[in-house]
Amino acid sequence: MTPDPEALEAVAVLSDDLRRRMYAFIRRAGRPVTRDEAAESVGISRKLAAFHLDKLVSVGLLTAGYAQPGGLRRVGRAPKVYEPGGAQVQVSIPQREHELLAGILLDALRLQEPGENGRETSIRVAAGRGHDLGTAERADLKPGRLGAERALTYAGRMLERHGFEPVRATHTLVRLENCPFHPLAAKDPDLVCAINHAFLAGFLSGLGAPTVHAILAPRPGSCCVELSTTGTAS
């Protein structure tokens, strides 16, 4: 297959570390972001940020417009704001974890027990896979009690690596802004969300974080699971 020139251009633009970091910041923000905010997120000047942001806009990774912060009316031109655009590139931004989902489903085919249906096996295997990952993460932590605050922090780091785009909504809640199993999840959301929920619950169990709960809380365009220390969805 001939590479898409537009996709290649987008990858080239993202090869710059500052642009990648600003793009990731704007994706996580969940709202229009000003040049000043983007500049502050990576520690550069507003003028330099504008240059990099315009590069991201030029390849469709961001869209630009004008808005009044907080809806307040001010004298003069409204500040320029940026939001994620519709461009997608082969490197997968946002990150996808189709290999993880495929591995769980393949193991479910191999490990199905008598009297167990495919869904039940998939959920059991997903919980085991998550538990193994959580146990491995736990082994790398310093000894000591893993309280709710610390558990949310470490869980967020793992989920970031797997493309869930965690955002700390409150001190008791982490929302996952990206579904790494999309678009496959759209074909059977009931099954895939159940697998995802079991995987994350198993991870928390392996991590040794009984005060943090994986809660099913589907939201359009986001992951179907939230991490909560209260045991209830937001």
Side-chain angles (χ1 to χ4, degrees):
M1 181 181 294
T2 302
D4 181 356
E6 293 182 358
L8 290 176
E9 189 176 3
V11 171
V13 167
L14 286 172
S15 66
D16 183 277
D17 179 63
L18 288 173
R19 292 173 196 158
R20 284 199 309 274
R21 289 161 58 195
M22 281 193 289
Y23 179 67
F25 171 76
I26 291 170
R27 278 198 56 83
R28 290 194 300 267
R31 58 174 177 78
V33 171
T34 66
R35 285 177 176 173
D36 288 335
E37 290 173 321
E40 184 179 358
S41 74
V42 295
I44 59 176
S45 69
R46 182 179 183 276
K47 184 175 181 180
L48 183 56
F51 169 79
H52 288 302
L53 290 167
D54 287 344
K55 287 286 187 181
L56 291 166
V57 170
S58 71
V59 296
L61 290 169
L62 296 180
T63 60
Y66 293 91
Q68 294 284 4
L72 298 177
R73 186 177 183 82
R74 297 184 179 182
V75 176
R77 193 176 188 181
K80 201 168 188 177
V81 293
Y82 299 84
E83 297 181 87
Q88 293 191 23
V89 294
Q90 190 61 37
V91 293
S92 188
I93 299 174
Q95 184 175 335
R96 302 303 184 203
E97 287 283 343
H98 296 155
E99 185 177 351
L100 173 60
L101 179 60
I104 290 171
L105 294 173
L106 285 173
D107 282 349
L109 287 174
R110 294 189 301 105
L111 301 173
Q112 187 169 354
E113 297 178 350
E116 192 176 46
N117 62 40
R119 176 188 173 87
E120 292 168 342
T121 308
S122 298
I123 291 172
R124 175 172 59 81
V125 169
R129 182 74 68 92
H131 190 276
D132 290 346
L133 181 61
T135 300
E137 290 282 332
R138 178 75 185 192
D140 293 333
L141 302 182
K142 294 180 180 179
R145 181 177 177 273
L146 193 63
E149 186 75 19
R150 190 168 173 229
L152 278 177
T153 298
Y154 281 110
R157 291 178 185 176
M158 185 281 294
L159 296 173
E160 183 75 43
R161 292 198 298 273
H162 283 276
F164 285 89
E165 296 188 358
V167 173
R168 193 69 173 265
T170 70
H171 71 284
T172 64
L173 176 68
V174 169
R175 289 198 178 102
L176 309 177
E177 295 300 321
N178 179 51
C179 173
F181 304 135
H182 186 81
L184 297 178
K187 296 183 177 180
D188 193 338
D190 184 54
L191 174 60
V192 176
C193 285
I195 290 173
N196 186 30
H197 179 242
F199 172 76
L200 294 175
F203 169 76
L204 293 172
S205 174
L207 188 64
T211 57
V212 182
H213 310 276
I215 307 297
L216 274 173
R219 291 183 296 125
S222 301
C223 178
C224 58
V225 177
E226 298 177 345
L227 303 186
S228 169
T229 59
T230 63
T232 58
S234 61

